[in-house]
Amino acid sequence: MPSLSSMSQSQDIQFDGLYAHELTVSRSENVLLEDAELHLAPATITYLYGENGTGKTSLMRCLTGLLQPDDGKIYWNKKPINHPESGYFQDLIFLAHSLSMKNELTIAENLTFYAQLRCGGSYNNKELQADISQVLTDLGIGGLEGRMFAELSAGQQHKVALARLMLEPAKIWILDEPFVNLDQKTRGWLAAKTLEFKAQGGVVLFTSHHHIDELPVDQKVGVEHE
Amino acid sequence: MPSLSSMSQSQDIQFDGLYAHELTVSRSENVLLEDAELHLAPATITYLYGENGTGKTSLMRCLTGLLQPDDGKIYWNKKPINHPESGYFQDLIFLAHSLSMKNELTIAENLTFYAQLRCGGSYNNKELQADISQVLTDLGIGGLEGRMFAELSAGQQHKVALARLMLEPAKIWILDEPFVNLDQKTRGWLAAKTLEFKAQGGVVLFTSHHHIDELPVDQKVGVEHE
Amino acid sequence: MAKAWRWFHQLGSPKYLFQKTGQWLPWIWGATLILLAVGLYYSLWASPLEARQGQGHTVRIMYIHVPAAALSMVGYIAMAIAAIVGLVWKMKMAFAVVRSIAPAGAAMTFLALFTGSVWGKPTWGTWWEWDARMTSELLLLFLYLGFIALHASFSDRSKADKASAILAIVGVINIPIIYFSVKWWNTLHQGYSVTQKGALAPEFQVPLFTMLAGMYLLFAALVIMRLRAEIILRNQKSRWVMEWATADAKKVTHD
Amino acid sequence: MISTLLKRELKVARRNWIGLAIPLLFFIIVVSLFPFAVSPEAPMLQKLAPGVIWVAALLSMLLSLEQFYRSDFQDGSLEQLLLMSSPTSVAISKIFAHWLLTGLPLVILSPLLGLLMQINYGFEHINHTWVLMLSLMLGTPTLCLLGAVGMSLTLAANRNGLLVSILIIPLYVPVLIFGASTVTASLESLRYNGELAILGAFLMIAIVFAPFASGRALKISVG
Amino acid sequence: MISTLLKRELKVARRNWIGLAIPLLFFIIVVSLFPFAVSPEAPMLQKLAPGVIWVAALLSMLLSLEQFYRSDFQDGSLEQLLLMSSPTSVAISKIFAHWLLTGLPLVILSPLLGLLMQINYGFEHINHTWVLMLSLMLGTPTLCLLGAVGMSLTLAANRNGLLVSILIIPLYVPVLIFGASTVTASLESLRYNGELAILGAFLMIAIVFAPFASGRALKISVG
Ligand code: HEM
Ligand SMILES: Nc1ncnc2c1ncn2[C@@H]1O[C@H](COP(=O)(O)OP(=O)(O)OP(=O)(O)O)[C@@H](O)[C@H]1O
Ligand SMILES: Nc1ncnc2c1ncn2[C@@H]1O[C@H](COP(=O)(O)OP(=O)(O)OP(=O)(O)O)[C@@H](O)[C@H]1O
Ligand SMILES: [Mg+2]
Ligand SMILES: [Mg+2]
């Protein structure tokens, strides 16, 4: 593929937010998406739906750059996501199925690590610890900061992963089944926080197999397969 | 605890099905349940609810004998579950959070293994393979028998674990969040199958953080913590 | 130049490559058989025996041993080149080539080790010596086997291709390092002069060079056959493979 | 019961045939490190041979243990197995499969290693090779049995493959000493029956106690 | 960036302090198997010493690799790290942490092992010990760097701890040869500067290429 034409294309992109152009994704020889277009505008919440195995997770992994699409380009604020100036990876939080927390560390240590990784030294440690306590309390697991991650229940572990959303500044959230394993109260909390994030101009993409009453969405995108 | 008195007690038990008597369960020094009584009668569906981290999973692991309770006894059809004559472990299917399938084996091989382990040689292999195909087709993943378990989506993997319920004869199902990650259609399927199982006299205990419209329950048990 | 470039690009198309190699293959096999027949005749019957070292008939092993040893190294280098092409120009067919060379290369390495070992018994009185060449050949076998093992341990083919391509490249950087360190290390303790380059009498040269050419072609033929299988495997879903398969099936039923 | 379990182990291994070859390759490679590191001269190598081959066998068995137990624990299979059959029979089938898939091939391959280490100059010395194989034949099952106990104990500990090494190696040392000295005795044309008998005795003791202990430990790890 | 990553590695390791001790213990145990397996006589041991210590160091580094990479891959941390920093810097911090936590302690501990293997009879021989430490100091980082490449390549492969050994050991051989022969030369009172220089050269080559290759491989594994 000649690189020149794609450069010129990148200047043509008129969309703010995340824009995927002619995306083709396949998994072990099955084509999941072909020439798909997707636009996630700032201050919108997009709900990705589809039956099991249609390719929602695969699409998300492409949008985060973890999976190489067969074809197509992905832009963040008009720049290809891999372009150093796009700042995409600074702006992105991706919560996948695997919770990405270390069993051997405590809740606070896990969260501190990710916050510092994103913000460098700019996040004052004392402030950070106070914020962590605050978020955990909101989530109903206050006081467990020093508990080893492995020694939590399924839902509590999930809550810790969600706490990252509150501790790290970002402009786009990509959440793969974020409501799984959560009790009613926590679902409400997450929905409220998502709406707040949207109100501040954030971009949200999430999947869920259950309808979440508390979360009105702006755009529904279905992934259907054959 | 003198074993005599518990023997005499075991003769006193009047309940068919699963009966837990004066159960005390704790996890890292926190007492989760104290002197709890629980009776799951034949042909009933019991819904176990409670917020995240109240002890639902811990209770289930006690009921399956995997976690040693601090105190209390569990009876299956009036016999302690560890009593060789209770036949409890022949009758029980426990689906936990971890799906207990091997990534390196195909779907069919995984299911065959568990079916043969339970039924010994009595399950004719040809019949078993036909049954597996049938169940997978019902679940919407027909034709994937030969696919490696690792190469499935989250929901597809979950479906494979559920297929065990159809392939292995049992009298009690203990299901920890069986509806997680499933699409609408599959949830309906599972609810219908659970009702069928109940109609045949089966005992069902399950948890879920979402309300499942399709599944009317006979008993609701809440685990509340402090 | 432009023409060569275009040809290079065409080779990247599985269909084109499959058809072309299909055309070449009979010729390559033909030439292989002729050369090997002539070479084997010369080396097994018509060549003189080695008198100086009193090796008798065992010298005939050389005509297999030397080509196999040469090919084992050439094979690995070819693999690494293809791997670079695959990774840098994102050419999928290059990965198929890498994958097809590996088993043939491993077989040649094994053959070199085996013939060398069989030769060593009568000449040196031992099956194995930790001589520089022999040792680095053994390590080369491990590199090949590592490559094959790595490729086989992925269920996702494109991951397998890329990961094992990196290994092939890292391995090729190491081959000279291995060779020289082994040589240096070994001469510290003892030196074997058997493998030193001596003037080879012409009556040994003719059969040796014929065998060399024959074995090179044999190697090419094996790689190409494997490559064609690999192409079919990797393009099962594409239309031309379906057509090719059904056409083939028809041929079979007609026969 | 045990046969179903065994069949599954074999199937997992066959699927992953390369996984079968790997402990073997490791065995060969570790042995061939020594000529590089110590000396490539035949008399020296021959002197080292019994020890090195035995150490390599031990390490290769030790490291393949991980693969045989850890994955069942992590994906929850182990918990299901324990629900459906007795801990001891789970342990027995695991141990047997482990030996069949790594111990036995290693025994079969050992003559080649003997060759690399110059144990065997020609057919007249074939006897040493037999002794080597025999010692491994008696010793490797013991290694599997002891390994199973250590592995089952450490499953629930924070995942750390090396922890099990630390627990087990002291138990392995006697087997190693008698295994290697059997071969050394043979190379020095001494009698080696006594050593073989002791290896046999170790095996008997391990067979009696290890499956039970390993089963109990599995049960505890899952709890 | 790299310092945050490093800090976490150290914290995980500290939490799991036993994990830190284990490669060291393994190192000691493997070395001390040889007096049992081969011969406890001092001249023989001294002859073996450089080779055995180097092989043990190599195996111990190799086996601790697993622990340093696998768990990040499995719990999804690796994918988060790759989202937030460049693959090469992830690789660099992993490699550095790995060396700091297993390579360095091993270097520090090596005099003790020299003592076990009779390298060092008294203070007049202290020089050999220095050479041993120096050779390990230059050699172990190379082992870490090469190991990182192998480990990153095998992360997404069907989990098999030994596969990585097979990939890497052929690459380790040159380091092993020069590492052991540095010490041997010193023990035989020969010059060893050349060997040390070559070890240094290997390290330079590895530093230039390995982090990049390892980063690429990490990216592929996660994809
Ligand atoms: C397992 C044992 C052996 C191995 C791995 C081995 C390996 C090799 C290798 C790698 C080459 C280089 C080929 C080339 O440069 O194109 C070679 C060449 C050769 N080998 Fe061997 N060899 C072994 C045993 C022997 C023995 C026992 C003899 C004869 C007594 C022998 C005689 C030769 C000769 C004559 C050449 C060609 C010399 C030259 O072109 O430099 N090899 N061998
Ligand atoms: N590692 C893999 N290798 C090969 N195929 C895969 C792999 N992972 C997923 N697939 C296949 O790709 C398709 C899409 O999977 P994906 O995980 O994207 O689905 P999904 O929409 O997220 O489903 P779910 O709702 O079940 O999570 C599925 O059919 C699955 O079988
Ligand atoms: N391995 C463990 N070690 C110590 N404490 C644990 C462990 N697992 C769970 N706990 C604690 O025990 C309590 C009950 O956990 P359990 O997993 O039973 O909850 P649950 O009701 O299943 O919650 P969820 O809805 O989140 O799955 C929790 O407070 C948890 O922190
Ligand atoms: Mg998904
Ligand atoms: Mg739970």
Side-chain angles (χ1 to χ4, degrees):
Chain A
M1 195 134 301
S3 60
L4 224 159
S5 84
S6 70
M7 277 304 281
S8 70
Q9 238 171 20
S10 98
Q11 269 129 36
D12 288 339
I13 297 302
Q14 320 244 338
F15 304 108
D16 255 337
L18 192 68
Y19 176 62
H21 181 60
E22 295 194 344
L23 205 61
T24 302
V25 181
S26 63
R27 229 42 230 252
S28 54
E29 271 96 72
N30 284 330
V31 179
L32 298 175
L33 290 175
E34 208 162 3
D35 286 336
E37 303 279 318
L38 179 68
H39 180 213
L40 310 179
T44 57
I45 297 178
T46 307
Y47 171 45
L48 191 63
Y49 66 92
E51 295 189 351
N52 288 136
T54 46
K56 301 178 294 300
T57 300
S58 303
L59 170 61
M60 284 186 161
R61 292 180 72 83
C62 278
L63 294 179
T64 56
L66 289 170
L67 187 69
Q68 202 61 40
D70 295 349
D71 207 354
K73 285 241 145 210
I74 302 162
Y75 302 91
W76 174 242
N77 293 335
K78 304 174 195 157
K79 296 217 171 56
I81 54 171
N82 284 318
H83 195 287
E85 279 170 32
S86 76
Y88 181 57
F89 296 102
Q90 268 299 318
D91 293 342
L92 166 75
I93 300 183
F94 170 48
L95 294 189
H97 256 285
S98 52
L99 301 176
S100 313
M101 297 282 160
K102 294 232 92 49
N103 280 331
E104 304 90 332
L105 294 184
T106 62
I107 301 184
E109 285 166 345
N110 269 306
L111 291 172
T112 306
F113 168 66
Y114 282 117
Q116 286 183 346
L117 194 62
R118 186 175 300 270
C119 312
S122 71
Y123 212 144
N124 174 299
N125 192 44
K126 217 162 169 191
E127 234 172 79
L128 177 58
Q129 297 311 322
D131 287 357
I132 289 176
S133 291
Q134 185 55 47
V135 179
L136 294 183
T137 309
D138 291 354
L139 278 161
I141 47 174
L144 295 189
E145 290 85 343
R147 181 85 80 88
M148 228 49 92
F149 186 76
E151 298 176 353
L152 296 173
S153 80
Q156 288 170 335
Q157 293 192 334
H158 206 103
K159 286 178 179 181
V160 176
L162 292 177
R164 281 187 59 198
L165 298 175
M166 299 297 103
L167 296 168
E168 299 169 31
K171 299 199 181 108
I172 171 167
W173 289 354
I174 299 189
L175 313 174
D176 199 358
E177 312 221 19
F179 294 99
V180 144
N181 281 335
L182 296 182
D183 56 25
Q184 178 88 42
K185 213 191 271 176
T186 316
R187 285 202 299 274
W189 175 89
L190 178 57
K193 292 295 174 186
T194 308
L195 289 171
E196 264 178 39
F197 180 65
K198 169 190 164 183
Q200 289 156 17
V203 181
V204 180
L205 176 69
F206 77 99
T207 62
S208 169
H209 286 296
H210 287 271
H211 183 251
I212 306 297
D213 299 318
E214 298 93 332
L215 190 61
V217 300
D218 305 302
Q219 185 181 206
K220 290 188 185 192
V221 177
V223 185
E224 250 125 299
H225 195 30
E226 103 238 67
Chain B
M1 192 135 301
S3 61
L4 225 159
S5 84
S6 69
M7 279 303 280
S8 71
Q9 238 170 17
S10 97
Q11 268 130 37
D12 288 340
I13 298 299
Q14 318 244 340
F15 304 108
D16 255 337
L18 191 70
Y19 176 63
H21 180 61
E22 296 193 344
L23 206 60
T24 302
V25 181
S26 62
R27 225 51 226 249
S28 54
E29 272 95 71
N30 285 330
V31 178
L32 299 175
L33 290 175
E34 207 163 2
D35 286 336
E37 304 279 318
L38 180 67
H39 181 214
L40 310 178
T44 58
I45 297 178
T46 306
Y47 170 46
L48 192 62
Y49 66 91
E51 295 189 352
N52 289 136
T54 47
K56 302 179 293 300
T57 300
S58 303
L59 170 61
M60 284 186 160
R61 292 180 71 83
C62 279
L63 294 179
T64 56
L66 289 170
L67 187 69
Q68 203 60 39
D70 296 346
D71 205 355
K73 285 247 145 205
I74 303 164
Y75 304 90
W76 174 241
N77 292 336
K78 303 175 195 154
K79 296 217 172 56
I81 55 171
N82 284 317
H83 196 288
E85 277 171 34
S86 77
Y88 181 57
F89 297 102
Q90 268 299 316
D91 291 341
L92 166 75
I93 299 183
F94 170 47
L95 295 189
H97 256 287
S98 54
L99 300 176
S100 314
M101 297 281 160
K102 293 231 97 45
N103 280 330
E104 305 89 323
L105 294 183
T106 64
I107 301 183
E109 284 165 347
N110 268 307
L111 292 172
T112 305
F113 168 67
Y114 282 116
Q116 285 182 346
L117 194 61
R118 188 176 298 271
C119 311
S122 70
Y123 210 145
N124 173 300
N125 191 43
K126 216 163 169 190
E127 235 171 78
L128 175 58
Q129 297 311 320
D131 287 356
I132 289 177
S133 292
Q134 185 54 49
V135 179
L136 295 182
T137 309
D138 291 353
L139 278 162
I141 46 173
L144 295 188
E145 289 88 342
R147 180 84 82 87
M148 224 60 83
F149 185 74
E151 298 174 354
L152 295 173
S153 79
Q156 288 170 335
Q157 293 192 335
H158 207 103
K159 287 178 178 181
V160 176
L162 293 177
R164 282 187 60 198
L165 299 175
M166 299 295 103
L167 296 167
E168 299 169 30
K171 298 201 182 104
I172 170 164
W173 290 353
I174 298 190
L175 313 175
D176 199 356
E177 312 222 17
F179 293 99
V180 144
N181 282 335
L182 296 182
D183 57 22
Q184 177 89 42
K185 214 192 272 176
T186 316
R187 286 203 297 275
W189 176 90
L190 179 57
K193 291 296 174 184
T194 308
L195 289 171
E196 263 177 40
F197 181 66
K198 168 191 165 184
Q200 289 157 19
V203 180
V204 180
L205 176 69
F206 78 100
T207 63
S208 169
H209 287 294
H210 286 270
H211 183 249
I212 306 298
D213 300 317
E214 298 94 329
L215 190 60
V217 301
D218 305 303
Q219 185 182 206
K220 290 189 185 188
V221 177
V223 185
E224 251 125 300
H225 196 31
E226 101 238 64
Chain C
M1 190 60 214
K3 206 170 161 191
W5 193 243
R6 202 180 68 212
W7 188 66
F8 180 73
H9 265 279
Q10 275 176 336
L11 282 184
S13 137
K15 187 179 172 190
Y16 180 82
L17 193 59
F18 188 77
Q19 286 169 346
K20 277 289 164 210
T21 50
Q23 290 166 10
W24 300 338
L25 201 53
W27 295 101
I28 297 178
W29 269 122
T32 306
L33 292 181
I34 293 170
L35 281 171
L36 282 184
V38 173
L40 283 174
Y41 170 74
Y42 267 108
S43 49
L44 295 187
W45 282 281
S47 76
L49 299 181
E50 166 65 87
R52 268 176 302 169
Q53 297 183 355
Q55 288 183 341
H57 287 284
T58 53
V59 73
R60 303 195 189 287
I61 295 175
M62 175 176 74
Y63 303 114
I64 302 285
H65 173 72
V66 175
L71 273 168
S72 66
M73 291 182 288
V74 170
Y76 202 92
I77 294 168
M79 225 165 83
I81 293 172
I84 291 173
V85 171
L87 283 180
V88 175
W89 285 287
K90 303 208 165 29
M91 194 189 213
K92 282 196 182 141
M93 273 304 104
F95 293 125
V97 175
V98 182
R99 171 101 182 85
S100 316
I101 296 175
M108 286 297 164
T109 316
F110 182 77
L111 193 61
L113 280 168
F114 184 76
T115 52
S117 180
V118 169
W119 199 0
K121 183 64 187 165
T123 43
W124 305 335
T126 166
W127 298 101
W128 181 260
E129 271 300 326
W130 293 91
D131 156 81
R133 267 202 168 149
M134 296 161 77
T135 307
S136 40
E137 191 75 4
L138 182 66
L139 289 172
L140 183 61
L141 181 66
F142 292 149
L143 284 176
Y144 271 119
L145 294 181
F147 176 93
I148 294 172
L150 181 65
H151 200 288
S153 322
F154 285 90
S155 38
D156 185 328
R157 187 175 297 118
S158 78
K159 263 189 208 178
D161 282 342
K162 289 182 201 152
S164 44
I166 290 183
L167 181 68
I169 295 167
V170 174
V172 86
I173 297 174
N174 242 273
I175 284 181
I177 295 181
I178 290 176
Y179 181 73
F180 287 111
S181 45
V182 165
K183 193 166 172 171
W184 184 89
W185 153 76
N186 190 277
T187 49
L188 189 70
H189 303 275
Q190 66 184 119
Y192 258 95
S193 47
V194 188
T195 50
Q196 83 188 173
K197 269 217 158 74
L200 202 61
E203 60 265 35
F204 291 106
Q205 265 177 13
V206 176
L208 184 60
F209 286 132
T210 321
M211 282 303 288
L212 263 174
M215 293 279 281
Y216 264 87
L217 284 176
L218 175 68
F219 188 78
L222 290 176
V223 170
I224 288 177
M225 280 175 61
R226 178 67 210 247
L227 176 63
R228 287 165 59 77
E230 197 74 21
I231 293 176
I232 294 299
L233 203 67
R234 285 164 188 245
N235 295 280
Q236 284 165 11
K237 299 244 168 78
S238 62
R239 224 185 32 236
W240 69 267
V241 172
M242 302 274 190
E243 282 163 8
W244 170 82
T246 48
D248 234 38
K250 261 183 218 146
K251 238 189 280 167
V252 171
T253 48
H254 277 288
D255 283 348
Chain D
M1 181 68 70
I2 290 183
S3 85
T4 310
L5 287 167
L6 205 59
K7 245 195 288 180
R8 186 189 70 146
E9 294 300 327
L10 298 180
K11 205 174 258 162
V12 174
R14 185 161 54 76
R15 173 78 45 208
N16 204 334
W17 64 267
I18 211 93
L20 264 180
I22 285 173
L24 278 181
L25 269 174
F26 181 82
F27 180 49
I28 302 177
I29 287 180
V30 169
V31 170
S32 50
L33 284 179
F34 281 90
F36 294 117
V38 180
S39 145
E41 290 156 50
M44 183 69 180
L45 283 183
Q46 200 177 26
K47 197 140 188 232
L48 283 179
V52 167
I53 293 178
W54 258 92
V55 169
L58 185 156
L59 289 176
S60 159
M61 304 253 34
L62 195 63
L63 300 176
S64 57
L65 268 180
E66 182 79 9
Q67 179 194 357
F68 263 81
Y69 291 82
R70 179 76 60 187
S71 81
D72 272 5
F73 176 70
Q74 280 182 335
D75 65 18
S77 303
L78 187 59
E79 166 179 310
Q80 295 288 334
L81 297 185
L82 289 173
L83 283 179
M84 289 199 246
S85 36
S86 83
T88 312
S89 65
V90 172
I92 289 177
S93 50
K94 280 260 145 202
I95 293 166
F96 192 46
H98 181 208
W99 185 74
L100 221 54
L101 293 172
T102 62
L104 186 59
L106 213 136
V107 174
I108 295 171
L109 207 75
S110 56
L112 182 66
L113 277 295
L115 206 117
L116 278 179
M117 296 295 284
Q118 313 280 14
I119 275 196
N120 200 20
Y121 282 107
F123 291 104
E124 70 275 22
H125 292 280
I126 202 85
N127 182 38
H128 302 323
T129 308
W130 276 116
V131 176
L132 176 64
M133 288 180 79
L134 206 61
S135 73
L136 286 170
M137 191 78 192
L138 284 173
T140 48
T142 316
L143 300 182
C144 285
L145 287 157
L146 295 176
V149 177
M151 197 63 216
S152 325
L153 281 173
T154 53
L155 277 181
N158 278 339
R159 58 172 278 86
N160 194 319
L162 288 180
L163 176 58
V164 62
S165 320
I166 306 299
L167 285 180
I168 302 173
I169 287 189
L171 302 180
Y172 275 8
V173 166
V175 184
L176 176 74
I177 290 175
F178 286 97
S181 65
T182 310
V183 186
T184 307
S186 161
L187 282 173
E188 293 174 358
S189 308
L190 303 172
R191 292 178 60 83
Y192 46 81
N193 303 17
E195 281 88 342
L196 281 182
I198 294 178
L199 282 181
F202 285 159
L203 179 55
M204 288 304 129
I205 298 177
I207 283 185
V208 173
F209 293 107
F212 178 71
S214 165
R216 284 305 298 247
L218 287 177
K219 189 86 192 178
I220 292 169
S221 292
V222 160
Chain E
M1 179 70 69
I2 291 181
S3 83
T4 313
L5 286 168
L6 208 59
K7 243 193 293 180
R8 185 188 68 146
E9 295 299 329
L10 298 180
K11 206 173 261 167
V12 173
R14 186 163 51 78
R15 179 76 51 199
N16 198 342
W17 65 267
I18 199 116
L20 262 179
I22 284 173
L24 276 180
L25 273 172
F26 184 84
F27 179 52
I28 300 174
I29 288 178
V30 169
V31 171
S32 49
L33 284 179
F34 279 86
F36 296 116
V38 180
S39 140
E41 294 153 45
M44 181 68 179
L45 280 185
Q46 199 177 28
K47 197 140 189 234
L48 285 180
V52 166
I53 293 178
W54 259 90
V55 170
L58 186 154
L59 290 176
S60 155
M61 303 252 37
L62 194 64
L63 300 176
S64 59
L65 269 179
E66 181 79 8
Q67 179 194 353
F68 263 82
Y69 290 82
R70 179 74 63 189
S71 82
D72 272 3
F73 177 71
Q74 280 181 337
D75 65 20
S77 305
L78 186 60
E79 120 190 347
Q80 294 289 335
L81 297 185
L82 289 174
L83 282 179
M84 290 200 243
S85 36
S86 82
T88 312
S89 65
V90 174
I92 289 177
S93 50
K94 278 264 145 199
I95 292 167
F96 192 48
H98 181 207
W99 184 75
L100 222 55
L101 292 171
T102 61
L104 186 59
L106 215 134
V107 173
I108 294 171
L109 207 74
S110 57
L112 181 66
L113 277 295
L115 210 105
L116 267 180
M117 297 295 283
Q118 312 278 11
I119 273 194
N120 202 20
Y121 285 108
F123 290 103
E124 71 275 25
H125 292 280
I126 201 88
N127 182 37
H128 302 323
T129 306
W130 276 115
V131 177
L132 176 64
M133 287 181 79
L134 206 61
S135 74
L136 285 171
M137 191 76 193
L138 283 173
T140 48
T142 316
L143 300 182
C144 284
L145 287 157
L146 294 175
V149 177
M151 199 60 217
S152 328
L153 284 173
T154 51
L155 279 181
N158 285 338
R159 63 176 273 87
N160 194 319
L162 291 181
L163 174 59
V164 62
S165 320
I166 291 174
L167 299 186
I168 302 174
I169 288 189
L171 309 183
Y172 274 7
V173 164
V175 184
L176 177 68
I177 288 176
F178 286 98
S181 64
T182 310
V183 186
T184 307
S186 161
L187 283 174
E188 293 174 357
S189 309
L190 302 172
R191 291 178 62 83
Y192 47 80
N193 304 18
E195 283 88 340
L196 281 182
I198 294 179
L199 280 181
F202 287 159
L203 179 56
M204 289 302 129
I205 299 179
I207 282 184
V208 173
F209 292 107
F212 178 72
S214 166
R216 282 295 302 248
L218 286 177
K219 192 86 194 176
I220 291 168
S221 290
V222 161

